[in-house]
Amino acid sequence: MTNFELEKMVNTSDEWIRTRTGISERRVVHKGQTTADMSTNIAKELLQRSNTDPEEVEVIIVATVTPDMPTPATASLVQDRIGAKKAWGFDLSGACTGFIYALDTASRLIESGKYNKVMVIGLDTMSSVLDYTDRDTCVLFGDGGGGVMLERAANEEHGVLDSILRSDGSGGDYLKIPGGGSLHPASHDTVNKKLHYITQDGRVVFKFAVKGMADVSAQILEKNGIASSAVDLYIPHQANKRIIDGAAKRCGFNEDQVFINIDRYGNTTAGTIPICMDEAVEFGRLQDGNLLLIAAFGAGFTWGSMLIRWGK
Ligand code: UT7
């Protein structure tokens, strides 16, 4: 869906969206397509690319705030659809930081010694919670996701090196989907009041996002004694090009070190980081042995960073 298509739906302009956010277009699922459908496609591709038999998968973690339904978990639907008969799994609700939370959890499961293969999927069908009459939100988000098959690294120097994970629930009111849960169970009234849509105070979130993402990115480098120039690729959450630029500048990254694809996808919430990872590999910007820094900020508030030595 292009900005020009949105111009026909709400009082906005391609120029405003591009200059204020960096977004030109975003993906939207076809009617009837769901988060579990997308997750299943991602899971099947992960099995194929990593040459894994479905029965070898032990755990499936799906980071999402837009599951098909509150229960069963998307992870259970995927587990069944791909025939991962020996796997258990769960959905993780960490909004834009969900994929980093999930990847950290998965790496700790492997480190525990009990598990060898954990599938981590991050995705969101944001179009299912967007009010396409609200220009404050509908221009920002898109649908999409990706994933990784996390395994014990053959090379001990490869893998998840460190992470810093944070949350501050006092920011909850600034970005939320108020309805449909136990606070406001779905009713005619909640639907009439549009409580099932996402709402945010963009200006407040903007300020916290730049500071939060920059802080945890700088802190993880300092903690590990790594200069910003030593990072091969920085993948920040893609909510707004100006947030990305602000955080990258504060950490001392130059343009070549920062991966940006917000122009084509908008903000895909938990899907953003794995989509960037996949494109970075495809475009040859992320190769075996590279030092990767990922960072995100989102609803909750939640935020975090992770250092990864890419490779098996
Ligand atoms: O991933 C979760 C985290 N989410 C975020 O990180 C989002 C953070 N926030 C943002 O990215 C930005 O705050 C927005 C993109 C949401 C808004 O940009 P802004 O520069 O903060 O704009 P604003 O809210 O200060 O609004 C500036 C003007 C206002 O008009 P007036 O009051 O100056 O006349 C808005 O009404 O822009 C207007 N505006 C729009 N105009 C055209 C707001 N949305 C739109 C729109 N099209 N879609």
Side-chain angles (χ1 to χ4, degrees), residues 66-134:
T66 50
D68 282 28
M69 49 198 138
T71 194
T74 314
S76 299
L77 301 174
V78 174
Q79 176 271 328
D80 176 51
R81 291 187 195 175
I82 64 169
K85 293 201 175 95
K86 296 180 181 150
W88 62 280
F90 57 94
D91 289 3
L92 188 156
S93 171
C96 302
T97 319
F99 186 74
I100 302 184
Y101 280 7
L103 198 51
D104 193 69
T105 306
S107 80
R108 305 302 155 205
L109 288 174
I110 289 177
E111 272 175 23
S112 76
K114 188 166 176 189
Y115 301 101
N116 292 302
K117 280 188 198 290
V118 182
M119 197 180 257
V120 185
I121 297 172
L123 82 166
D124 271 296
T125 310
M126 295 307 290
S127 60
S128 67
V129 291
L130 281 177
D131 176 1
Y132 282 100
T133 65
D134 174 17

Side-chain angles (χ1 to χ4, degrees), residues 12 16 20 96 135 200 202-203 237 239-240 242-243 267:
T12 191
W16 190 94
R20 302 311 292 165
C96 302
R135 71 175 185 178
Q200 78 165 337
R203 283 184 210 188
H237 177 59
N240 187 319
R242 292 183 294 137
I243 296 177
N267 182 352

